[in-house]
Amino acid sequence: MQSNGHIQPIRRMPTGVQGLDTILRGGLLEGGMYIVMGDPGTGKTILSNQIAFHHAGRGGRVFYVTLLAETHARMLAHLAEFSFFDSNAVSRNLNYVSAYNVLAKDGLEGLLEHLRNIVQKEQATLLVLDGLLSVEQFAESVLAYKRFLHGLQLYTNTFNCTTLLTTTVSPDARRGPEHSIVDGHVILRDSNRPNGALRTLEVPKLRGSASLRGRHAFEITDNGLVAYPRLDVIFRPRASATETAFERRPFGVQAIDDMLNGGLSSASSTVVIGSPGTGKTLLGMQFLSEGARRGERGLVFHFYEGPTELTEKSERAGIQVRSFVESGMLHLSWRPPVGLLLDAVAQSLFEALEKSGATRLFIDGFDAFRTALDADDRLIVFFSALANELFYRGVTTIFSSETENVVGIVARLPTAGISAMAENLLMMRYEELHGRQHRILSVVKLRESGYENAVRELHISDDGFSLGENPFGR
């Protein structure tokens, strides 16, 4: 499009699908032709209808043309279960048309003429052709199929009508002419992983626009399809140290803060690793409680212990939690570690941060992220992106992570490479000495700061935390 001698950018058509417009960098380009592909049952019909209803709701004229055996009445009955369904839009500016008989009687040329009439005479702004595989099967030759696609693209582009083509061709068999002709691909997959089934969405091609690459998890909910853009591809560059004000965030336990040279640095990420029962959760809750006492809002994002159990456990150890929760200074966000999607968890975390206004964060049970993995090699990349985003938001964060061994020095970190991603690393463990167990706290790493490198015995009582001397006398 030109204006005053200058080429104007093509306008976007938002899909209205949560997460998808982020992946598409704003939506589809108006007048473009896009193919939605995937095996049967992956969600193609739901996605295309969701986009159709959203476009109709914005005043667009939509024609949903089917080449399938399913009746419109039955399809609409299924769609009525979703919140995006609007019965008033149907037949007003969202029209369902069956063209199977046209295709069977008049072939590709007849179907193309039928679609041209819809676009021109009905002034459609979105055309959905559901069942592209039927067109290919009726084509006399590859050349005839190609002519049909070229003709449809030329006409819809001329009238600035965005077009969606759905097909059940396997995403791994993208060799047909339609894949080179169309302006973009949206691929839906449904696969199995060790911890459950996983639906993913991918946009490997988007002509004239950037998109977020990679496979993004999605769910089919009562609201329709919800996509979760990969956190590691929305990566924002970290500000330099000179652009970030340096402050200390203490725990409120003098001996611990002395070990840390005054506390944790603001906007830093700290991993507290240790064996079960060493007090990792209580240490994180102490950090949030002290922040609330100082007027800094806190959030605990936890997976294993419920809110009531976590609150009572902290109060029994002398850590003030309940009153801060009641006053709104401390927020608890609990997600049971079942059926988690990695990027969905991250999105939920950021939503909780925005709602609470927290500047101190405790993620209790970082190991739960491992159960939500969609790829074995993704955890460190995800953690790096997560820590970077929290830094960008100015949030001082503690992660707890459990080690396999119960007693003795930890020789191996629970997640390889995690120490390079976190600024600070604290270790909590048990040591057996003279017939009894001793809780031990030590600082392994405190980036850009001095710290006490001696091991100290950690005591937890009804009055909270206290530190003793090195029980080994060395």
Side-chain angles (χ1 to χ4, degrees):
M1 182 182 293
Q2 293 186 346
S3 177
N4 299 325
H6 298 286
I7 297 177
Q8 298 295 317
I10 301 174
R11 292 193 306 177
R12 298 276 183 172
M13 189 201 83
T15 66
V17 178
Q18 182 180 329
L20 180 56
D21 286 324
T22 300
I23 296 169
L24 296 171
R25 300 287 193 181
L28 303 171
L29 297 179
E30 288 187 355
M33 179 182 287
Y34 302 91
I35 188 167
V36 179
M37 61 188 306
D39 292 325
T42 49
K44 300 181 300 299
T45 299
I46 295 173
L47 175 60
S48 54
N49 273 282
Q50 193 172 347
I51 296 173
F53 273 96
H54 179 75
H55 188 67
R58 291 167 55 90
R61 286 190 58 76
V62 183
F63 278 79
Y64 196 106
V65 181
T66 61
L67 301 173
L68 308 173
E70 183 181 37
T71 65
H72 293 159
R74 189 164 185 82
M75 181 171 65
L76 291 174
H78 291 155
L79 294 172
E81 300 296 323
F82 295 101
S83 64
F84 64 77
F85 182 82
D86 179 8
S87 59
N88 295 323
V90 179
S91 297
R92 184 183 63 199
N93 56 341
L94 172 52
N95 301 274
Y96 287 85
V97 178
S98 175
Y100 182 82
N101 290 336
V102 174
L103 177 62
K105 179 182 177 182
D106 301 324
L108 271 62
E109 290 185 5
L111 176 62
L112 182 58
E113 185 62 27
H114 185 63
L115 297 176
R116 284 174 175 170
N117 288 333
I118 288 176
V119 172
Q120 183 178 11
K121 294 181 180 180
E122 302 294 342
Q123 298 181 327
T125 55
L126 174 63
L127 174 68
V128 180
L129 184 60
D130 192 357
L132 184 63
L133 185 59
S134 296
V135 178
E136 184 178 10
Q137 291 171 341
F138 272 91
E140 297 177 354
S141 65
V142 174
L143 181 59
Y145 181 45
K146 206 168 185 177
R147 282 195 189 123
F148 169 84
L149 293 170
H150 272 301
L152 181 60
Q153 184 182 48
L154 177 63
Y155 217 74
T156 54
N157 184 260
T158 299
F159 286 89
N160 203 34
C161 176
T162 309
T163 305
L164 297 180
L165 311 172
T166 73
T167 180
T168 55
V169 173
S170 173
D172 299 318
R174 286 173 279 158
R175 301 185 187 91
E178 68 272 24
H179 302 295
S180 59
I181 291 173
V182 297
D183 296 299
H185 302 150
V186 178
I187 299 176
L188 306 181
R189 290 184 175 89
D190 192 356
S191 57
N192 291 317
R193 53 178 180 163
N195 51 341
L198 176 68
R199 298 180 188 267
T200 59
L201 179 152
E202 182 181 8
V203 184
K205 175 183 177 181
L206 194 64
R207 187 176 290 156
S209 172
S211 63
L212 298 185
R213 302 305 300 273
R215 297 186 182 184
H216 310 271
F218 76 89
E219 295 178 296
I220 295 177
T221 71
D222 291 342
N223 296 322
L225 191 145
V226 178
Y228 303 102
R230 290 170 62 102
L231 182 62
D232 45 289
V233 297
I234 315 178
F235 201 87
R236 292 191 281 187
R238 176 171 287 211
S240 66
T242 57
E243 295 173 325
T244 305
F246 181 87
E247 297 178 0
R248 291 290 182 181
R249 297 287 183 259
F251 282 81
V253 179
Q254 188 63 50
I256 295 177
D257 291 330
D258 288 345
M259 290 184 71
L260 298 170
N261 199 22
L264 302 175
S265 56
S266 56
S268 65
S269 293
T270 301
V271 177
V272 178
I273 63 172
S275 48
T278 49
K280 300 182 299 298
T281 298
L282 292 177
L283 186 63
M285 296 303 294
Q286 173 63 38
F287 181 72
L288 297 187
S289 180
E290 174 62 13
R293 190 185 69 81
R294 291 169 172 264
E296 303 168 21
R297 294 184 184 275
L299 169 69
V300 54
F301 196 78
H302 54 125
F303 299 94
Y304 298 104
E305 295 174 301
T308 300
E309 184 181 2
L310 184 61
T311 299
E312 292 178 351
K313 174 181 177 178
S314 302
E315 291 280 347
R316 286 195 299 270
I319 301 171
Q320 185 179 355
V321 171
R322 186 174 290 107
S323 61
F324 288 138
V325 171
E326 293 171 352
S327 67
M329 291 301 297
L330 184 55
H331 294 256
L332 281 67
S333 181
W334 179 49
R335 293 202 59 161
V338 178
L340 298 177
L341 296 175
L342 198 60
D343 298 291
V345 174
Q347 181 174 307
S348 178
L349 169 60
F350 296 140
E351 290 172 354
L353 280 171
E354 291 171 3
K355 183 178 180 180
S356 65
T359 56
R360 291 195 184 205
L361 169 66
F362 174 40
I363 299 179
D364 190 20
F366 183 74
D367 311 275
F369 286 100
R370 194 179 292 111
T371 68
L373 279 177
D374 47 27
D376 293 339
D377 58 351
R378 211 187 144 209
L379 187 58
I380 291 303
V381 174
F382 173 83
F383 179 81
S384 178
L386 178 61
N388 182 81
E389 181 65 22
L390 293 170
F391 173 90
Y392 187 91
R393 293 169 180 250
V395 178
T396 309
T397 307
I398 292 179
F399 301 86
S400 72
S401 185
E402 196 164 281
T403 57
E404 296 177 359
N405 52 322
V406 177
V407 179
I409 297 175
V410 178
R412 181 171 61 86
L413 293 175
T415 301
I418 200 170
S419 62
M421 300 297 107
E423 284 91 346
N424 315 311
L425 190 60
L426 307 184
M427 184 182 295
M428 303 177 75
R429 67 181 192 271
Y430 282 113
E431 286 289 350
E432 185 176 342
L433 183 65
H434 303 310
R436 74 181 188 91
Q437 300 287 357
H438 297 259
R439 277 195 185 95
I440 304 298
L441 173 67
S442 59
V443 182
V444 178
K445 180 177 75 170
L446 201 64
R447 190 170 293 172
E448 298 178 353
S449 175
Y451 60 90
E452 182 180 321
N453 57 12
V455 299
R456 301 284 296 276
E457 183 167 12
L458 177 67
H459 302 286
I460 304 176
S461 67
D462 294 345
D463 298 322
F465 289 92
S466 63
L467 290 185
E469 297 299 322
N470 184 340
F472 307 105
R474 60 179 188 273

